[in-house]
Amino acid sequence: MKQDMIVILDLGSHENTVVARAIRALGVYSEIYPHDITAEELKALPNVKGIIINGGPNNVIDGVAIDVNPDIYNAGFPVMAAGHDKALCQTKLAQFTNDENAVKEAVKSFVFETCKAEANWNMANFVNDQIELVRKQVGDRKVLLALSGGVDSSVVAALLLKAIGNNLVCVHVNHGLMRKGESENVVEVFRNRLSANLVYVDATDRFLDKLAGVGDPEQKRKIIGGEFIRVFEEEARKLDGIDFLGQGTIYPDIVESGTKTAKMVKSHHNVGGLPEDMQFELVEPIKQLFKDEVRACGLELGLPYEMVFRQPFPGPGLGVRCLGAITRDRLEAVRESDAILREEFAKAGLDKKVWQYFTIVPDFKSVGVKDNARSYDWPVIIRAVNTIDAMTATIEQVDWPILMKITDRILKEVDGVNRVCYDMSPKPSATIEWE
C-alpha cells in the first residue's frame, strides 16, 4: 500500500524535522526536499497530496534571498506557507514552532481537509513497502551488511532478511571494545534465532595491538574506524557475487550532514563519506525514518525489545570510555562496571527513563583501602544523562539507595577499582562522552 505524502520544501527553516515528525504523528507520511526542486521532480514523487513551504532565517544564500521554483505554485498541489509571504499560497502561517503538538494542530486541517490525505502511514505499511522496493532493487543478487548490533544496523538486517533471506550476508566485527555479552547477543539473535547468513570476526587482538600506547582520543577514533573498514573489506573480498552494500542510514544522518539551507552539524560516514570508486550499490531501507520510528520498525519486524531499545553507543565502543591509552585490565574494568550499572538500572526501571548511562575508567589511580590493606587502584565514574537531541543534556537524579547499591557491587565485583564517582556535569559545559 502506497502512503499519501505531504512534501516539506526547505526554505531556510530550523523546524523542518519538527514539521515532518508532526505530520507523520498524524498518520500521514512526510518528507523534506530542497527549495529548488522542480515541478517535474515534485510530480514524479509518489502520492504527493500537498506541499508545505517552510521559510526561516536561513533563506539567504550568498547574499540573495531564495524562493521555490515559481512553477511549484501551478503544479496542481495544495500549498501552505510558513514564514513565507507568497500571495499564491492558499494557506499561510506566521512561523512554525519547535513544539510538535502545536505544529500538529496547525497543519491538521490543511493535511486532511485541504489535501484530502489519508492517515495510512504506519509501520506495517512501511515494512511491506520497503520489502517490495528492496526486492525490486536487488532481485536475486546479494547484499553485504556490516552488523554492529546497534539499533539501526539490526533493524536493517531484520528488514533485509524478510526481503531477500539468504541473499543477505551480515558481517559482525568484534573489535574487543563491545559491551559485555553484545557480540554473543548478535550471534544468538541473528544466526540462531533468525537464521541469518552471518560472518563473525573476532578481531580483538588486532584492534587492541593497534591501540597499544595511543592516548589521544581523536587518534584512537581514527585507528578504530580505519581498522574496522580494513577488516570489513578483507571479509568482503572473501565473498563472491556481492553487488550491494546495506547501510543503516537514517533521516537525522541526512539532515545533520547538511542541506543547501542548513549548516552541517556533523558529517556522517554513511552520508557523503563513502569513496567515489566504491564498487557497491547502496541499499538503505530506513533512510527516511527518525530514531523513534526505527525502533517502532524493529518491534514490527519482531526484534527483541532489549535490542531495539539498546543504549546509544559510540562507534569506537568502550575505547572512548577507557580514557587515555587503552589497557586490557582497565578495559575489563569498564566492561564489568558498565554491566553492573545496566543491570541495576534495569532492576530499578531506570533503563526506560534515562536516555544514556555508562561507566568510565580514567588512566589514573588513587589511594584506598581494600581487604584491610592499602590499595592503589582506579576510580569508576558513572554518567547518566537525559536529552532530546543530544545537543544539550541534563543529569539524572538517581535515588541514593540505588547509587549506593551500584557502588557496593562495583567495589566488590570489579578488579582493580577502589572508588566510585557520579558525574554531575550537564552539557554544556561537559559533553555526554568523556572522549
Side-chain angles (χ1 to χ4, degrees), residues 261-422:
T261 57
K263 292 180 181 176
M264 184 181 76
V265 178
K266 56 182 175 179
S267 61
H268 289 263
H269 71 280
N270 48 4
V271 182
L274 294 164
E276 290 180 12
D277 60 350
M278 189 181 73
Q279 302 299 308
F280 300 118
E281 185 181 330
L282 292 180
V283 178
E284 300 173 301
I286 61 170
K287 69 179 180 182
Q288 296 296 347
L289 296 185
F290 293 101
K291 195 71 173 188
D292 58 324
E293 294 170 336
V294 175
R295 296 188 197 279
C297 184
L299 293 176
E300 179 69 30
L301 289 161
L303 286 176
Y305 180 91
E306 63 274 11
M307 182 170 272
V308 169
F309 284 88
R310 177 182 188 262
Q311 282 274 296
F313 195 51
L318 299 181
V320 291
R321 296 176 183 172
C322 185
L323 305 187
I326 297 169
T327 59
R328 291 180 186 245
D329 48 2
R330 223 161 26 89
L331 181 60
E332 197 57 26
V334 178
R335 198 179 336 263
E336 291 298 325
S337 59
D338 178 80
I340 290 169
L341 178 68
R342 287 190 288 138
E343 189 180 315
E344 292 300 329
F345 264 40
K347 284 180 187 173
L350 290 171
D351 58 326
K352 295 178 179 65
K353 181 187 174 193
V354 183
W355 186 78
Q356 190 170 18
Y357 46 94
F358 53 90
T359 61
I360 304 115
V361 178
D363 57 348
F364 61 81
K365 295 183 176 183
S366 68
V367 175
V369 178
K370 255 191 166 181
D371 300 325
N372 297 316
R374 179 187 184 275
S375 72
Y376 190 55
D377 290 319
W378 303 298
V380 165
I381 300 159
I382 296 172
R383 185 107 169 108
V385 298
N386 290 309
T387 181
I388 294 170
D389 56 9
M391 305 303 289
T392 62
T394 58
I395 304 306
E396 175 66 22
Q397 296 181 35
V398 181
D399 288 343
W400 206 246
I402 298 169
L403 275 180
M404 294 298 287
K405 186 178 181 186
I406 292 166
T407 299
D408 185 57
R409 282 196 61 191
I410 288 173
L411 293 177
K412 284 178 178 172
E413 297 173 33
V414 182
D415 289 340
V417 169
N418 66 0
R419 200 176 290 264
V420 176
C421 308
Y422 192 66

Side-chain angles (χ1 to χ4, degrees), residues 252-263:
D253 296 343
I254 295 169
V255 175
E256 283 192 345
S257 291
T259 65
K260 293 169 186 171
T261 57
K263 292 180 181 176

